[in-house]
Amino acid sequence: MTERIIRYISIFLALLIVLPLHEFAHAFVADKSCDFTPRVSGRYTLNPLAHFDITGLIMFVVAGFGWAKPVPVNPANFKHYKLDSFLVSIAGVAANYLTAFVFLPLFYLSVYVPEFGLFTAVLQNTLLYVVRLSLVFCVFNLIPIYPLDGYRVIDCFIKRRNKFYYNYKTYGIYILYALILLSFIADITGLYYLDVLGIAINYVVNVISIPIGAFWGLIF
């Protein structure tokens, strides 16, 4: 029971760091690109309450991946439409990867913190979850399905808007819902091979974490 409590507390604390940094990165780059929509909408902030989506938050705790409320932007305000749209789209995942890079050495250093029972356990687990969830959020948001960042990146370079494009934008989200449902079924039934989304995300996370681990491995 204690381990489960530590896990839930650590995940929640990690999300207080991971999600706001992701969304603020979108808002920051949009603001610097002369679109003040995020600022006017109250999203130009690191306050977690401004960015949390309840369903996405629950998914993070239960399934290990989830989402926050998308930051509203108006590309019509950008100085350079395609370039600024691209930069705003990748800002969140770039921030997540940088967060994982910065927090991994903090986790390594936390093993030298004197033992203070629950505090030490929560501290170490929180730092570890910041690294892990940052990479998971990075990979999850790169899925090319609307309204995730991966779709927005592709959308920056699509010139031809045809029927397939609009159908994919409208119904692609149902593919994501189906994959999430499979993750729930896999967790409930123990048939983990059904968790296609989780398996794919974990694989990519392990791959992109290699450079971070290799770099800090030269020091620690």
Side-chain angles (χ1 to χ4, degrees):
M1 180 63 71
T2 302
E3 291 183 1
R4 182 176 297 181
I5 293 175
I6 291 175
R7 175 178 180 270
Y8 287 145
I9 292 175
S10 300
I11 290 177
F12 179 73
L13 292 176
L15 290 175
L16 292 178
I17 298 171
V18 174
L19 295 185
L21 286 174
H22 177 99
E23 298 303 331
F24 177 74
H26 286 305
F28 179 82
V29 176
D31 193 79
K32 297 307 176 184
S33 301
C34 295
D35 176 30
F36 306 120
T37 305
R39 188 184 291 271
V40 173
S41 303
R43 301 299 299 281
Y44 193 81
T45 177
L46 287 171
N47 181 359
L49 296 178
H51 304 296
F52 275 172
D53 176 274
I54 299 300
T55 304
L57 184 61
I58 293 173
M59 282 296 300
F60 255 122
V61 175
V62 175
F65 53 84
W67 55 87
K69 290 189 296 186
V71 170
V73 298
N74 184 1
N77 295 325
F78 293 155
K79 288 183 178 179
H80 310 286
Y81 180 83
K82 284 191 176 182
L83 176 60
D84 291 341
S85 295
F86 174 74
L87 293 176
V88 171
S89 297
I90 66 168
V93 295
N96 285 139
Y97 196 75
L98 181 60
T99 301
F101 180 83
V102 170
F103 273 80
L104 183 59
L106 296 180
F107 168 70
Y108 288 154
L109 290 173
S110 70
V111 301
Y112 300 105
V113 173
E115 183 62 42
F116 290 113
L118 186 62
F119 171 79
T120 303
V122 170
L123 173 64
Q124 293 177 349
N125 277 274
T126 298
L127 293 173
L128 184 59
Y129 275 118
V130 168
V131 175
R132 181 69 183 180
L133 292 179
S134 291
L135 294 176
V136 168
F137 205 41
C138 175
V139 174
F140 180 78
N141 273 278
L142 284 175
I143 297 175
I145 293 178
Y146 181 85
L148 299 179
D149 297 336
Y151 174 87
R152 298 183 187 279
V153 170
I154 294 176
D155 189 58
C156 295
F157 302 101
I158 293 180
K159 295 182 179 180
R160 185 179 179 184
R161 301 292 197 267
N162 52 33
K163 186 176 181 179
F164 172 80
Y165 168 84
Y166 288 110
N167 285 338
Y168 178 68
K169 179 178 180 180
T170 303
Y171 300 108
I173 187 64
Y174 295 110
I175 299 175
L176 185 60
Y177 287 155
L179 292 173
I180 292 174
L181 179 60
L182 280 176
S183 296
F184 271 118
I185 294 174
D187 187 56
I188 294 172
T189 62
L191 302 175
Y192 297 112
Y193 60 85
L194 294 176
D195 187 11
V196 178
L197 182 60
I199 293 172
I201 288 177
N202 286 329
Y203 175 80
V204 179
V205 164
N206 291 335
V207 171
I208 67 174
S209 66
I210 292 175
I212 298 176
F215 178 85
W216 290 116
L218 297 173
I219 301 174
F220 292 93

Coordinates of all heavy atoms in Angstrom, one line a residue, residues 100-177:
A100 N 13.6 16.1 -19.6 CA 14.2 14.8 -19.3 C 15.7 14.9 -19.2 O 16.3 14.3 -18.3 CB 13.8 13.7 -20.4
F101 N 16.3 15.6 -20.1 CA 17.8 15.8 -20.1 C 18.2 16.4 -18.8 O 19.3 16.0 -18.2 CB 18.2 16.6 -21.3 CG 19.7 16.8 -21.4 CD1 20.5 15.8 -22.0 CD2 20.3 18.0 -20.9 CE1 21.9 16.0 -22.1 CE2 21.6 18.2 -21.0 CZ 22.4 17.2 -21.6
V102 N 17.5 17.4 -18.3 CA 17.9 18.2 -17.2 C 17.7 17.4 -15.9 O 18.5 17.5 -14.9 CB 17.2 19.6 -17.1 CG1 17.4 20.3 -15.8 CG2 17.6 20.5 -18.3
F103 N 16.6 16.7 -15.8 CA 16.2 16.0 -14.6 C 16.9 14.7 -14.3 O 16.9 14.2 -13.2 CB 14.7 15.9 -14.5 CG 13.9 17.0 -14.0 CD1 13.7 18.2 -14.7 CD2 13.5 17.1 -12.6 CE1 13.1 19.3 -14.2 CE2 12.9 18.2 -12.1 CZ 12.7 19.3 -12.9
L104 N 17.4 14.1 -15.4 CA 18.1 12.8 -15.2 C 19.3 12.9 -14.2 O 19.4 12.1 -13.3 CB 18.5 12.2 -16.5 CG 19.2 10.8 -16.4 CD1 18.3 9.8 -15.7 CD2 19.7 10.3 -17.7
P105 N 20.1 13.9 -14.4 CA 21.2 14.1 -13.4 C 20.7 14.4 -12.0 O 21.4 14.1 -11.0 CB 22.1 15.2 -14.0 CG 21.2 16.0 -14.9 CD 20.3 14.9 -15.5
L106 N 19.6 15.1 -11.9 CA 19.1 15.4 -10.6 C 18.6 14.1 -9.9 O 18.8 14.0 -8.7 CB 17.9 16.4 -10.7 CG 18.2 17.8 -11.3 CD1 16.9 18.6 -11.3 CD2 19.2 18.5 -10.4
F107 N 18.1 13.2 -10.7 CA 17.7 11.9 -10.1 C 19.0 11.1 -9.7 O 19.0 10.6 -8.6 CB 17.0 11.0 -11.2 CG 16.9 9.6 -10.8 CD1 16.0 9.2 -9.8 CD2 17.6 8.6 -11.4 CE1 15.9 7.9 -9.4 CE2 17.5 7.3 -11.1 CZ 16.6 6.9 -10.0
Y108 N 20.0 11.2 -10.5 CA 21.3 10.5 -10.1 C 21.8 11.1 -8.8 O 22.3 10.4 -7.9 CB 22.4 10.7 -11.2 CG 22.1 9.9 -12.4 CD1 22.6 10.3 -13.6 CD2 21.4 8.7 -12.3 CE1 22.4 9.5 -14.8 CE2 21.2 7.9 -13.5 CZ 21.7 8.3 -14.7 OH 21.5 7.6 -15.8
L109 N 21.7 12.5 -8.6 CA 22.2 13.1 -7.4 C 21.3 12.8 -6.2 O 21.8 12.9 -5.1 CB 22.3 14.6 -7.7 CG 23.3 15.2 -8.6 CD1 23.1 16.6 -8.9 CD2 24.7 14.9 -8.1
S110 N 20.1 12.5 -6.5 CA 19.1 12.3 -5.3 C 19.5 11.0 -4.5 O 19.1 10.9 -3.4 CB 17.7 12.1 -5.9 OG 17.5 10.9 -6.6
V111 N 20.3 10.1 -5.1 CA 20.7 8.9 -4.4 C 21.6 9.3 -3.2 O 21.8 8.5 -2.3 CB 21.3 7.9 -5.3 CG1 20.3 7.5 -6.4 CG2 22.6 8.4 -5.9
Y112 N 22.2 10.5 -3.3 CA 23.1 10.9 -2.2 C 22.4 11.7 -1.1 O 23.0 12.1 -0.2 CB 24.2 11.8 -2.8 CG 25.1 11.1 -3.8 CD1 24.9 11.3 -5.2 CD2 26.0 10.1 -3.5 CE1 25.7 10.7 -6.2 CE2 26.7 9.4 -4.4 CZ 26.6 9.7 -5.7 OH 27.3 9.0 -6.7
V113 N 21.1 11.9 -1.3 CA 20.3 12.6 -0.3 C 20.2 11.7 0.9 O 19.9 10.5 0.8 CB 18.9 13.0 -0.8 CG1 18.0 13.6 0.3 CG2 19.0 13.9 -2.0
P114 N 20.4 12.3 2.1 CA 20.2 11.5 3.4 C 18.9 10.8 3.5 O 17.9 11.4 3.0 CB 20.5 12.5 4.5 CG 21.3 13.5 3.9 CD 20.8 13.6 2.4
E115 N 18.8 9.7 4.0 CA 17.5 8.9 4.1 C 16.6 9.6 5.1 O 16.9 9.7 6.3 CB 17.8 7.5 4.6 CG 16.6 6.6 4.7 CD 15.9 6.4 3.3 OE1 16.6 6.2 2.3 OE2 14.7 6.5 3.3
F116 N 15.5 10.1 4.6 CA 14.4 10.7 5.4 C 13.1 10.0 5.2 O 12.0 10.6 5.1 CB 14.3 12.2 5.1 CG 15.4 13.0 5.6 CD1 16.3 13.6 4.7 CD2 15.7 13.1 7.0 CE1 17.3 14.4 5.1 CE2 16.8 13.9 7.4 CZ 17.6 14.5 6.5
G117 N 13.2 8.7 5.1 CA 11.9 7.9 4.9 C 11.1 8.2 3.7 O 11.6 8.2 2.6
L118 N 9.9 8.5 3.9 CA 8.9 8.8 2.8 C 9.4 10.0 1.9 O 9.2 9.9 0.7 CB 7.5 9.1 3.4 CG 6.4 9.2 2.4 CD1 6.2 7.9 1.7 CD2 5.1 9.6 3.1
F119 N 9.9 11.0 2.5 CA 10.4 12.2 1.8 C 11.4 11.8 0.7 O 11.3 12.1 -0.5 CB 11.0 13.2 2.7 CG 11.7 14.3 2.0 CD1 10.9 15.4 1.4 CD2 13.0 14.4 1.8 CE1 11.5 16.4 0.7 CE2 13.7 15.4 1.1 CZ 12.9 16.4 0.5
T120 N 12.4 11.0 1.1 CA 13.4 10.6 0.2 C 12.9 9.7 -0.9 O 13.2 9.9 -2.1 CB 14.5 9.8 0.9 OG1 15.1 10.6 1.9 CG2 15.7 9.4 -0.1
A121 N 12.0 8.8 -0.6 CA 11.3 7.9 -1.6 C 10.5 8.7 -2.6 O 10.6 8.5 -3.8 CB 10.5 6.9 -0.9
V122 N 9.8 9.7 -2.1 CA 8.9 10.5 -3.0 C 9.8 11.4 -3.9 O 9.6 11.5 -5.1 CB 8.0 11.4 -2.1 CG1 7.3 12.4 -3.1 CG2 6.9 10.5 -1.5
L123 N 10.9 11.9 -3.3 CA 11.8 12.8 -4.1 C 12.4 12.0 -5.2 O 12.4 12.5 -6.4 CB 12.9 13.3 -3.1 CG 14.0 14.1 -3.9 CD1 13.4 15.4 -4.5 CD2 15.1 14.4 -2.9
Q124 N 13.0 10.9 -4.9 CA 13.6 10.1 -5.9 C 12.7 9.6 -7.0 O 12.9 9.6 -8.2 CB 14.4 8.9 -5.3 CG 15.5 9.3 -4.4 CD 16.2 8.1 -3.7 OE1 15.7 7.0 -3.7 NE2 17.4 8.4 -3.1
N125 N 11.5 9.1 -6.6 CA 10.5 8.6 -7.5 C 9.9 9.8 -8.4 O 9.7 9.6 -9.6 CB 9.3 7.9 -6.8 CG 9.7 6.5 -6.5 OD1 9.5 5.6 -7.3 ND2 10.2 6.3 -5.3
T126 N 9.8 10.9 -7.8 CA 9.3 12.1 -8.5 C 10.2 12.5 -9.6 O 9.8 12.7 -10.8 CB 9.0 13.3 -7.6 OG1 8.0 13.0 -6.6 CG2 8.6 14.5 -8.4
L127 N 11.5 12.6 -9.3 CA 12.5 12.9 -10.3 C 12.6 11.9 -11.4 O 12.7 12.2 -12.6 CB 13.9 13.0 -9.6 CG 14.0 14.2 -8.6 CD1 15.4 14.1 -7.9 CD2 13.9 15.6 -9.4
L128 N 12.5 10.6 -11.0 CA 12.5 9.6 -12.0 C 11.3 9.6 -12.9 O 11.4 9.5 -14.2 CB 12.5 8.2 -11.3 CG 12.6 7.0 -12.3 CD1 13.9 7.1 -13.1 CD2 12.7 5.7 -11.5
Y129 N 10.1 9.9 -12.3 CA 8.9 10.1 -13.1 C 8.9 11.3 -14.0 O 8.3 11.3 -15.1 CB 7.6 10.1 -12.2 CG 7.1 8.7 -11.9 CD1 7.1 8.3 -10.5 CD2 6.7 7.8 -12.9 CE1 6.6 7.0 -10.2 CE2 6.2 6.5 -12.5 CZ 6.2 6.1 -11.2 OH 5.8 4.9 -10.9
V130 N 9.5 12.4 -13.6 CA 9.7 13.5 -14.4 C 10.4 13.2 -15.7 O 10.0 13.5 -16.8 CB 10.4 14.7 -13.7 CG1 10.8 15.8 -14.7 CG2 9.5 15.3 -12.6
V131 N 11.5 12.4 -15.6 CA 12.2 12.0 -16.7 C 11.4 11.1 -17.6 O 11.3 11.3 -18.8 CB 13.5 11.2 -16.3 CG1 14.3 10.7 -17.5 CG2 14.4 12.2 -15.5
R132 N 10.8 10.1 -17.0 CA 10.0 9.1 -17.8 C 8.8 9.7 -18.4 O 8.6 9.5 -19.6 CB 9.6 7.9 -16.8 CG 8.8 6.8 -17.5 CD 9.7 6.0 -18.5 NE 9.0 5.0 -19.2 CZ 9.5 4.2 -20.1 NH1 10.8 4.3 -20.3 NH2 8.8 3.3 -20.7
L133 N 8.0 10.4 -17.7 CA 6.8 11.0 -18.2 C 7.1 12.1 -19.3 O 6.3 12.3 -20.2 CB 5.9 11.6 -17.1 CG 5.3 10.5 -16.1 CD1 4.5 11.2 -15.0 CD2 4.4 9.5 -16.9
S134 N 8.2 12.8 -19.1 CA 8.6 13.8 -20.1 C 8.8 13.1 -21.5 O 8.3 13.6 -22.5 CB 9.8 14.5 -19.7 OG 9.6 15.4 -18.6
L135 N 9.5 12.0 -21.4 CA 9.8 11.3 -22.7 C 8.5 10.6 -23.2 O 8.3 10.6 -24.4 CB 10.8 10.2 -22.4 CG 12.2 10.7 -22.1 CD1 13.2 9.6 -21.7 CD2 12.8 11.6 -23.2
V136 N 7.7 10.1 -22.3 CA 6.4 9.5 -22.8 C 5.5 10.6 -23.4 O 4.9 10.4 -24.5 CB 5.6 8.9 -21.6 CG1 4.2 8.5 -22.0 CG2 6.3 7.6 -21.1
F137 N 5.4 11.8 -22.8 CA 4.6 12.9 -23.3 C 5.2 13.3 -24.6 O 4.4 13.7 -25.5 CB 4.6 14.0 -22.3 CG 3.4 14.9 -22.4 CD1 2.1 14.4 -22.6 CD2 3.5 16.3 -22.2 CE1 1.0 15.2 -22.7 CE2 2.4 17.1 -22.3 CZ 1.1 16.5 -22.5
C138 N 6.5 13.4 -24.7 CA 7.1 13.7 -26.0 C 6.7 12.8 -27.1 O 6.3 13.3 -28.2 CB 8.7 13.7 -25.8 SG 9.6 14.0 -27.3
V139 N 6.8 11.5 -26.9 CA 6.5 10.5 -27.9 C 5.0 10.5 -28.2 O 4.6 10.5 -29.4 CB 7.0 9.1 -27.5 CG1 6.5 8.1 -28.5 CG2 8.5 9.1 -27.3
F140 N 4.2 10.5 -27.2 CA 2.8 10.5 -27.4 C 2.3 11.6 -28.2 O 1.5 11.5 -29.1 CB 2.1 10.5 -26.0 CG 0.6 10.4 -26.1 CD1 -0.1 9.2 -26.3 CD2 -0.2 11.6 -25.9 CE1 -1.5 9.2 -26.4 CE2 -1.6 11.5 -26.0 CZ -2.2 10.3 -26.2
N141 N 2.8 12.8 -28.0 CA 2.4 14.0 -28.7 C 2.9 14.0 -30.1 O 2.4 14.8 -30.9 CB 2.8 15.3 -28.0 CG 1.8 15.7 -26.9 OD1 0.8 16.3 -27.2 ND2 2.0 15.3 -25.7
L142 N 3.9 13.2 -30.4 CA 4.3 13.1 -31.8 C 3.5 12.2 -32.7 O 3.7 12.1 -33.9 CB 5.8 12.7 -31.8 CG 6.8 13.7 -31.4 CD1 8.2 13.1 -31.4 CD2 6.8 14.9 -32.4
I143 N 2.5 11.5 -32.1 CA 1.6 10.7 -32.9 C 0.9 11.6 -33.9 O 0.3 12.6 -33.5 CB 0.6 10.0 -32.0 CG1 1.4 9.0 -31.1 CG2 -0.4 9.2 -32.9 CD1 0.5 8.3 -30.1
P144 N 0.9 11.3 -35.2 CA 0.3 12.3 -36.2 C -1.3 12.2 -36.3 O -1.8 11.9 -37.3 CB 0.9 11.8 -37.5 CG 1.2 10.3 -37.3 CD 1.6 10.2 -35.8
I145 N -1.9 12.4 -35.2 CA -3.4 12.4 -35.1 C -3.8 13.7 -34.4 O -3.3 14.0 -33.4 CB -3.9 11.2 -34.3 CG1 -3.6 9.9 -35.0 CG2 -5.4 11.3 -34.1 CD1 -4.0 8.6 -34.3
Y146 N -4.8 14.3 -35.0 CA -5.3 15.6 -34.5 C -6.0 15.3 -33.2 O -6.7 14.3 -33.0 CB -6.4 16.2 -35.5 CG -7.0 17.5 -35.0 CD1 -6.3 18.7 -35.3 CD2 -8.2 17.5 -34.4 CE1 -6.9 19.9 -34.8 CE2 -8.8 18.6 -33.9 CZ -8.1 19.8 -34.2 OH -8.7 21.0 -33.7
P147 N -5.8 16.1 -32.1 CA -5.1 17.4 -32.1 C -3.7 17.4 -31.5 O -3.2 18.4 -31.0 CB -6.0 18.2 -31.2 CG -6.4 17.2 -30.1 CD -6.5 15.9 -30.9
L148 N -3.0 16.2 -31.6 CA -1.7 16.1 -31.1 C -0.7 16.9 -31.9 O -0.9 17.2 -33.1 CB -1.3 14.6 -31.0 CG -2.2 13.7 -30.1 CD1 -1.8 12.3 -30.1 CD2 -2.3 14.3 -28.7
D149 N 0.5 17.1 -31.3 CA 1.5 17.9 -32.0 C 2.0 17.3 -33.3 O 2.4 18.0 -34.2 CB 2.7 18.2 -31.0 CG 2.3 18.9 -29.8 OD1 1.3 19.7 -29.8 OD2 3.0 18.8 -28.7
G150 N 2.1 16.0 -33.3 CA 2.6 15.3 -34.5 C 1.7 15.7 -35.7 O 2.2 15.9 -36.8
Y151 N 0.4 15.8 -35.5 CA -0.5 16.1 -36.6 C -0.2 17.6 -37.1 O -0.2 17.9 -38.2 CB -1.9 16.0 -36.2 CG -2.9 16.5 -37.2 CD1 -3.4 15.6 -38.3 CD2 -3.4 17.8 -37.2 CE1 -4.2 16.1 -39.2 CE2 -4.2 18.3 -38.2 CZ -4.7 17.4 -39.2 OH -5.5 17.9 -40.1
R152 N 0.0 18.4 -36.1 CA 0.2 19.9 -36.4 C 1.5 20.1 -37.1 O 1.6 21.0 -38.0 CB 0.2 20.7 -35.1 CG -1.2 20.6 -34.3 CD -1.2 21.5 -33.1 NE -2.4 21.3 -32.3 CZ -3.5 21.8 -32.6 NH1 -3.7 22.6 -33.6 NH2 -4.6 21.6 -31.8
V153 N 2.5 19.3 -36.8 CA 3.8 19.4 -37.6 C 3.6 19.0 -39.0 O 4.0 19.7 -39.9 CB 4.8 18.4 -36.9 CG1 6.1 18.3 -37.8 CG2 5.2 18.9 -35.6
I154 N 2.9 17.9 -39.3 CA 2.6 17.5 -40.7 C 1.7 18.5 -41.4 O 1.9 18.8 -42.5 CB 1.9 16.1 -40.7 CG1 2.9 15.0 -40.1 CG2 1.4 15.7 -42.1 CD1 2.2 13.6 -40.0
D155 N 0.8 19.0 -40.6 CA -0.2 20.0 -41.2 C 0.5 21.3 -41.7 O 0.1 21.9 -42.6 CB -1.2 20.4 -40.1 CG -2.3 21.2 -40.7 OD1 -3.0 20.8 -41.7 OD2 -2.5 22.4 -40.2
C156 N 1.7 21.6 -41.1 CA 2.5 22.7 -41.6 C 2.9 22.6 -43.0 O 3.2 23.6 -43.7 CB 3.7 22.9 -40.7 SG 3.3 23.3 -38.9
F157 N 3.1 21.4 -43.5 CA 3.7 21.2 -44.8 C 2.8 20.6 -45.8 O 3.1 20.4 -46.9 CB 4.9 20.3 -44.6 CG 6.0 20.8 -43.7 CD1 6.0 20.3 -42.4 CD2 6.8 21.8 -44.0 CE1 7.0 20.8 -41.5 CE2 7.8 22.3 -43.2 CZ 7.9 21.8 -41.9
I158 N 1.5 20.4 -45.4 CA 0.5 19.9 -46.4 C -0.1 21.1 -47.2 O -0.6 22.0 -46.6 CB -0.6 19.1 -45.6 CG1 -0.1 17.9 -45.0 CG2 -1.7 18.8 -46.6 CD1 -1.1 17.1 -44.3
K159 N 0.1 21.0 -48.5 CA -0.4 22.0 -49.3 C -1.8 21.7 -49.9 O -2.7 22.5 -50.0 CB 0.5 22.2 -50.5 CG 1.9 22.8 -50.1 CD 2.7 23.0 -51.4 CE 4.1 23.5 -51.0 NZ 4.9 23.8 -52.2
R160 N -2.0 20.4 -50.2 CA -3.3 20.0 -50.8 C -4.3 19.5 -49.7 O -4.0 18.6 -49.0 CB -3.0 18.9 -51.8 CG -4.3 18.5 -52.6 CD -4.0 17.4 -53.5 NE -5.2 16.9 -54.3 CZ -5.2 15.9 -55.2 NH1 -4.1 15.3 -55.4 NH2 -6.3 15.6 -55.8
R161 N -5.4 20.2 -49.6 CA -6.4 19.9 -48.6 C -7.5 19.1 -49.4 O -8.3 19.7 -50.1 CB -7.0 21.1 -48.0 CG -6.0 22.0 -47.2 CD -5.5 21.2 -46.0 NE -4.9 22.1 -45.0 CZ -3.6 22.4 -45.0 NH1 -2.8 21.8 -45.9 NH2 -3.1 23.2 -44.1
N162 N -7.5 17.8 -49.3 CA -8.5 17.0 -50.0 C -9.4 16.3 -49.1 O -9.4 16.5 -47.9 CB -7.8 15.9 -50.9 CG -6.8 15.1 -50.2 OD1 -7.0 14.8 -49.0 ND2 -5.7 14.7 -50.8
K163 N -10.3 15.4 -49.6 CA -11.3 14.8 -48.8 C -10.6 13.8 -47.8 O -11.1 13.8 -46.6 CB -12.3 14.0 -49.7 CG -13.4 13.3 -48.9 CD -14.4 12.6 -49.9 CE -15.5 12.1 -49.1 NZ -16.5 11.4 -50.0
F164 N -9.6 13.2 -48.2 CA -8.9 12.3 -47.3 C -8.3 13.0 -46.1 O -8.4 12.6 -44.9 CB -7.8 11.5 -48.0 CG -6.9 10.7 -47.1 CD1 -7.3 9.5 -46.6 CD2 -5.7 11.2 -46.6 CE1 -6.5 8.7 -45.8 CE2 -4.8 10.5 -45.8 CZ -5.3 9.3 -45.3
Y165 N -7.8 14.2 -46.4 CA -7.2 15.0 -45.3 C -8.2 15.4 -44.3 O -8.0 15.3 -43.1 CB -6.6 16.3 -45.9 CG -6.2 17.4 -44.9 CD1 -5.0 17.3 -44.3 CD2 -7.1 18.4 -44.6 CE1 -4.6 18.3 -43.4 CE2 -6.7 19.4 -43.7 CZ -5.5 19.3 -43.1 OH -5.2 20.3 -42.2
Y166 N -9.4 15.9 -44.7 CA -10.4 16.3 -43.8 C -11.0 15.1 -43.0 O -11.3 15.2 -41.8 CB -11.5 17.1 -44.5 CG -11.0 18.5 -45.0 CD1 -10.8 18.8 -46.3 CD2 -10.7 19.5 -44.0 CE1 -10.4 20.0 -46.7 CE2 -10.3 20.7 -44.4 CZ -10.1 21.0 -45.8 OH -9.7 22.2 -46.1
N167 N -11.2 14.0 -43.7 CA -11.7 12.8 -43.0 C -10.7 12.3 -42.0 O -11.1 11.9 -40.9 CB -12.0 11.7 -44.0 CG -13.2 12.0 -44.8 OD1 -14.1 12.7 -44.4 ND2 -13.3 11.4 -46.0
Y168 N -9.4 12.4 -42.3 CA -8.4 11.9 -41.4 C -8.4 12.8 -40.1 O -8.2 12.3 -39.0 CB -7.0 11.9 -42.0 CG -5.9 11.5 -41.1 CD1 -5.8 10.2 -40.7 CD2 -4.9 12.4 -40.7 CE1 -4.8 9.8 -39.8 CE2 -3.9 12.0 -39.9 CZ -3.8 10.7 -39.4 OH -2.8 10.4 -38.5
K169 N -8.5 14.1 -40.4 CA -8.5 15.1 -39.3 C -9.7 14.8 -38.4 O -9.6 14.9 -37.1 CB -8.5 16.5 -39.8 CG -8.5 17.5 -38.7 CD -8.5 19.0 -39.2 CE -8.5 20.0 -38.1 NZ -8.5 21.4 -38.6
T170 N -10.9 14.5 -39.0 CA -12.1 14.4 -38.2 C -12.2 13.1 -37.5 O -12.6 13.0 -36.3 CB -13.3 14.5 -39.2 OG1 -13.3 15.8 -39.9 CG2 -14.6 14.4 -38.4
Y171 N -11.8 12.0 -38.2 CA -12.0 10.6 -37.6 C -10.7 10.0 -37.1 O -10.8 8.9 -36.4 CB -12.6 9.7 -38.7 CG -13.9 10.2 -39.2 CD1 -14.1 10.8 -40.5 CD2 -15.1 10.2 -38.4 CE1 -15.3 11.2 -40.9 CE2 -16.3 10.6 -38.8 CZ -16.4 11.2 -40.1 OH -17.6 11.7 -40.5
G172 N -9.6 10.6 -37.3 CA -8.3 10.0 -36.8 C -8.3 9.9 -35.3 O -7.7 8.9 -34.8
I173 N -9.0 10.8 -34.6 CA -9.0 10.8 -33.2 C -9.6 9.5 -32.7 O -9.2 9.0 -31.6 CB -9.7 12.0 -32.6 CG1 -9.6 12.0 -31.1 CG2 -11.2 11.9 -33.0 CD1 -8.2 12.3 -30.6
Y174 N -10.5 8.9 -33.5 CA -11.2 7.6 -33.0 C -10.2 6.5 -33.1 O -10.3 5.5 -32.3 CB -12.4 7.3 -33.9 CG -13.5 8.4 -33.7 CD1 -13.8 9.3 -34.8 CD2 -14.2 8.5 -32.5 CE1 -14.8 10.3 -34.6 CE2 -15.2 9.4 -32.4 CZ -15.4 10.3 -33.4 OH -16.4 11.3 -33.2
I175 N -9.2 6.6 -33.9 CA -8.1 5.6 -33.9 C -7.4 5.6 -32.6 O -7.1 4.6 -32.0 CB -7.2 5.8 -35.1 CG1 -7.9 5.7 -36.5 CG2 -6.0 4.8 -35.1 CD1 -7.0 6.0 -37.7
L176 N -7.1 6.8 -32.2 CA -6.4 7.0 -30.9 C -7.2 6.5 -29.8 O -6.7 5.8 -28.9 CB -6.0 8.5 -30.7 CG -5.2 8.8 -29.5 CD1 -3.8 8.1 -29.6 CD2 -5.0 10.4 -29.4
Y177 N -8.5 6.8 -29.8 CA -9.4 6.3 -28.7 C -9.4 4.8 -28.7 O -9.4 4.2 -27.6 CB -10.8 6.8 -29.0 CG -11.0 8.3 -28.7 CD1 -12.1 9.0 -29.3 CD2 -10.2 9.0 -27.8 CE1 -12.3 10.3 -29.0 CE2 -10.4 10.3 -27.5 CZ -11.4 11.0 -28.1 OH -11.6 12.3 -27.9

